[in-house]
Amino acid sequence: MYYSIQSRYDNIRDLPYPYKGMLAISNDAEYLSFDFLEEFYKFLNTKQNTELGLGLGLECATSMFFFSDKKYNFSYFDGLNAKSKKTDYSQRINEYIKAGIIDTNHSYGDFDFVGGFKREHAIKTYEELNKNNLSLKIYTNHGTEDNIQNIGGDAKYHSGDILGSDVYHSDLLYENSVEYLWSDTCTDEFEPKIGLGFNVKRNPRNHGYKLLEKKILQDDNTILTFNRLRNTGLNAPNFTSLNYQINSIDWNDFYDNSSIVVLYQHLGAFNRTHEVNQTTIELIKKYEYYLSGLRFLSQEQQVGNLKVTTTLKLLNYINMINTTKVDIDEKNGKIIINNYKKIKNPSDFFQGLTIYVNPRTNFNIFYEATKLEIEHNGPDNTGQYSISIKNKIAVDIW
């Protein structure tokens, strides 16, 4: 399912100029090797020459495991023991986190079928992040029922947010500024019907009909949950189903309603039959068809229809639009941004905010005493002129 985003105020554009829709690919870390991560995310995020050709110039991020003993997963620590040594590429992972190319903690590690998570895994994770002045503001649940560190109460085995549990860790999420959660039932599907288009088939345990919603955890603390579009039938999402996910969206309807969507993916898994076939650059070169959906997204971004961004940036944008109003003083050429929260880094928090204005007036924009950098825009699809808070330029790590 995709969601229509609408500002509560006529003077705020629903989406950043000039776009008519926003999309993020929320990628889970299973089967994602470090060598593939290095080359493929360079292809996604830059316009440089890569082994797959000229880069697409999108903004795409992935989740990560901190602990894993599986050689096909990349991870920060080499093993499942909380005292495991760092991998040889742990410092490079820090660079990816700083650049926003890794934006999600995928349940600390790959404990599928073996379990073994303890609170000390979470403590070690945040010690390492804090030591490097890094943060991951998204937490996603992972895998089988052996992952008792999962949170949200969607399943009986979720124990990571139960006070008194040996694996309790959600207090550390709050202490380390984690804002967003994907939990097991926050999944949308399309149900094909006769004729054009799709009906939405929602998970019956889903709560509400918004992409971003407040959820009360089992320790009575709150967090914002977000929904992801799966729509891959019997098999979990994988690289070869990405085209299908993209093609299932009615793009005309999507743009007409200022829509947003988060796609649910496992880009490290090429396909799944009786076993998982891991994605490699060589395999993609052999079956280049499976890049066609990504190339479509890149083309749509280039013509100003679709902003493809990271999951964190998309969720931050929704959060910002839902909590922001502006007061326009046309006589004095001044715009004041208001938010009920105290914003520490307004140039980051308000990036992309687009305000409709009289183009004959020269405006300055302020949050409290801070003057923000702006860009002047031509008319959009409604014919109105606007100004935008400048987008933060991604750190180039390639």
Side-chain angles (χ1 to χ4, degrees), residues 145-343:
E145 62 185 16
D146 309 282
N147 291 278
I148 58 176
Q149 76 275 18
N150 284 3
I151 64 174
D154 308 61
K156 291 181 179 180
Y157 66 89
H158 286 194
S159 303
D161 54 348
I162 297 178
L163 278 167
S165 165
D166 291 341
V167 297
Y168 179 65
H169 66 85
S170 58
D171 60 322
L172 300 177
L173 302 183
Y174 315 133
E175 292 173 12
N176 290 279
S177 303
V178 177
E179 297 185 47
Y180 307 110
L181 163 70
W182 179 80
S183 192
D184 302 65
T185 59
C186 298
T187 304
D188 295 319
E189 300 274 3
F190 285 136
E191 183 179 30
K193 66 177 182 179
I194 296 174
L196 298 176
F198 293 85
N199 282 331
V200 174
K201 180 181 181 182
R202 297 191 58 84
N203 188 317
R205 291 179 291 173
N206 257 346
H207 306 290
Y209 292 89
K210 297 178 182 178
L211 188 146
L212 195 63
E213 293 190 292
K214 186 176 290 186
K215 181 181 179 68
I216 301 174
L217 297 179
Q218 295 178 100
D219 58 3
D220 290 331
N221 283 295
T222 60
I223 196 167
L224 291 170
T225 61
F226 64 98
N227 287 319
R228 304 194 290 185
L229 175 61
R230 173 177 161 143
N231 194 36
T232 54
L234 294 175
N235 271 343
N238 54 63
F239 199 96
T240 56
S241 62
L242 180 60
N243 286 349
Y244 181 82
Q245 289 176 305
I246 293 169
N247 291 334
S248 70
I249 294 173
D250 181 338
W251 289 102
N252 289 329
D253 180 70
F254 189 87
Y255 295 143
D256 286 345
N257 290 285
S258 300
S259 299
I260 51 177
V261 67
V262 178
L263 297 183
Y264 177 9
Q265 256 300 326
H266 297 88
L267 295 174
F270 192 72
N271 54 30
R272 299 167 187 257
T273 52
H274 61 285
E275 60 183 23
V276 175
N277 197 5
Q278 191 170 15
T279 312
T280 63
I281 297 298
E282 291 70 30
L283 198 52
I284 296 175
K285 285 181 178 179
K286 186 176 180 180
Y287 300 102
E288 278 216 24
Y289 159 75
Y290 291 113
L291 292 177
S292 60
L294 290 169
R295 295 193 189 282
F296 167 80
L297 298 182
S298 180
Q299 291 165 6
E300 289 297 287
Q301 178 165 280
Q302 288 179 43
V303 300
N305 286 332
L306 181 69
K307 178 59 180 174
V308 180
T309 192
T310 67
T311 306
L312 179 61
K313 281 192 173 183
L314 185 145
L315 298 179
N316 280 345
Y317 183 83
I318 301 169
N319 198 7
M320 182 270 293
I321 282 291
N322 287 342
T323 58
T324 295
K325 70 183 292 288
V326 298
D327 294 317
I328 300 178
D329 180 355
E330 188 165 337
K331 182 179 178 181
N332 296 303
K334 191 173 183 180
I335 297 176
I336 303 296
I337 302 177
N338 300 293
N339 194 284
Y340 76 89
K341 297 185 288 187
K342 179 69 175 178
I343 307 303

Side-chain angles (χ1 to χ4, degrees), residues 62-131:
T62 183
S63 66
M64 66 169 288
F65 290 132
F66 281 88
F67 298 89
S68 178
D69 62 353
K70 299 179 177 66
K71 298 306 178 186
Y72 51 74
N73 291 330
F74 86 93
S75 60
Y76 197 90
F77 297 103
D78 189 10
L80 290 176
N81 190 296
K83 295 181 173 59
S84 297
K85 294 181 179 179
K86 298 177 189 178
T87 55
D88 293 339
Y89 45 78
S90 60
Q91 186 54 44
R92 182 64 171 159
I93 291 175
N94 287 336
E95 294 175 10
Y96 276 102
I97 297 173
K98 183 178 181 181
I101 306 302
I102 294 175
D103 64 1
T104 302
N105 173 3
H106 198 32
S107 275
Y108 301 104
D110 191 352
F111 296 91
D112 271 6
F113 304 109
V114 293
F117 176 87
K118 307 223 178 272
R119 180 179 171 86
E120 61 185 302
H121 288 92
I123 293 172
K124 182 73 176 245
T125 293
Y126 287 112
E127 283 179 350
E128 197 65 27
L129 287 171
N130 291 330
K131 182 176 72 176

Side-chain angles (χ1 to χ4, degrees), residues 15 20 24 79 95 115 140 187 195 213 272 366 369 374 391:
L15 296 168
K20 296 182 284 185
E95 294 175 10
T140 55
T187 304
E213 293 190 292
R272 299 167 187 257
F366 296 86
I374 62 174
N391 278 301

